[in-house]
Amino acid sequence: MTARDDLRIVLVLAGGNALGAYQAGVCQALHEGGIAPDWIVGTSAGAINGAILAGNAPDAALTKLAAFWRSDGFDWWQAWPETWRRTIATGATLLGGRPGVFGPLGTALLAAPTPALYDTGPLAATLESCIDFARLNDGAPRFTAVAVDLESGAETAFDTCDRPIGVEHVRASAAMPPALPAVAVDGRLYVDGGLSAKLPLDAVLSTPSERPTLCIAVDLLPMRSGRPDTLGDMAARAQDLTFASQTRRTIARWQAQYTTDPAYRGCSVTLAQLLYADQQQEVAGKAMDFSPASVRQRWEHGLRDGIDLARRIAGGTLPIGGGGLHLLPGFAKSAP
């Protein structure tokens, strides 16, 4: 085994729609490095990636992830300048939807349970083909998808420890309004968990463990960036700051909790926050850019970052233990 036998490994996957291809690359690196999480927590795109990972045998999971992120058809604008290519790809998705995930613009206006722009019915069939839900619910690894109750606003964790998880739970976690319609689960309507926490750390950090924990958190929106040059750059920057600031506050709150609350005395959590940080080529609508070239670049970036982390885990050089919540040096790139 490449990690300590007493170590609990938790993988936390953030939301970010098309940016989630970065997480798939990280998952490939961890698998190839022999790093198997005991628990996977995700929201939105992270819940989809996590469910595919937990709901398949390890080798099959990578094949299913590749199938989910593959875009069929020729990327005819790939020879254009990069910003134009990405902008055109974003516009194509906004008008035509994404096959196997959501329909063209306007398909949900009359049929959805809540006002929305795109029908996500195709996602149900795709998830059924990508995930073995019997395996997902076997409990190894544990899986949690985070969503938000549309009416009460309560953050809800759909967890294989306390209920069977189905297609509707994963779809609910990825139902970002008003683009995508809410999803009904047990008579309640749920929407994207990223509205509460884009990086869903609360489920993990609120669960004290006697075992030292390595929490690998794969984030998609950076806190730091260069100065925006265009209106589109500024729109993208505002989105990044909204959600990255949310994550920074969450980490600071739990660091204080682990220091002062007797319930967490003796608990040890090391947080390795992998971040899709190099987004200079991304455009304002990056979360809707599913073009093959962009998906491939994000996947390869995640693979490189994941290999770096897997080597450190395998080498036994991580500073794990000692009590409290610690950010792993060299990885918490979004920290102030």
Side-chain angles (χ1 to χ4, degrees), residues 298-321:
R298 294 165 189 150
W299 186 304
E300 291 173 352
H301 190 158
L303 179 61
R304 290 194 301 269
D305 289 352
I307 287 173
D308 188 17
L309 175 60
R311 285 173 177 165
R312 292 183 63 174
I313 296 173
T317 60
L318 299 183
I320 295 173

Side-chain angles (χ1 to χ4, degrees), residues 13-167:
L13 302 174
N17 209 3
L19 305 181
Y22 172 86
Q23 295 174 343
V26 173
C27 291
Q28 178 185 346
L30 295 179
H31 169 66
E32 292 176 352
I35 310 301
D38 303 291
W39 183 9
I40 301 173
V41 181
T43 193
S44 198
I48 293 173
N49 283 332
I52 294 173
L53 195 62
N56 287 284
D59 289 334
L62 290 180
T63 301
K64 296 291 187 180
L65 279 171
F68 179 82
W69 287 103
R70 182 175 58 243
S71 295
D72 294 327
F74 177 65
D75 193 354
W76 58 268
W77 51 81
Q78 60 185 332
W80 291 35
E82 190 69 1
T83 298
W84 290 16
R85 182 191 69 75
R86 290 174 183 266
T87 300
I88 293 170
T90 297
T93 302
L94 289 171
L95 290 175
R98 187 193 172 204
V101 181
F102 53 89
L105 180 65
T107 49
L109 289 176
L110 298 178
T114 56
L117 297 176
Y118 304 95
D119 172 35
T120 56
L123 179 59
T126 298
L127 293 176
E128 288 282 8
S129 68
C130 288
I131 301 166
D132 180 346
F133 281 92
R135 184 183 182 96
L136 179 75
N137 288 296
D138 278 346
R142 177 182 175 183
F143 173 71
T144 304
V146 179
V148 173
D149 187 302
L150 178 62
E151 295 174 89
S152 72
E155 183 176 296
T156 302
F158 300 128
D159 196 312
T160 54
C161 278
D162 55 42
R163 73 181 80 196
I165 299 298
V167 167

Side-chain angles (χ1 to χ4, degrees), residues 203-244:
V204 177
L205 300 181
S206 64
T207 309
S209 173
E210 294 181 357
R211 299 165 61 193
T213 296
L214 172 62
C215 180
I216 303 170
V218 189
D219 209 350
L220 299 174
L221 298 174
M223 174 66 76
R224 300 179 186 274
S225 175
R227 182 176 297 180
D229 295 322
T230 67
L231 189 59
D233 292 342
M234 185 60 76
R237 188 70 190 125
Q239 173 185 262
D240 291 348
L241 287 173
T242 297
F243 292 110

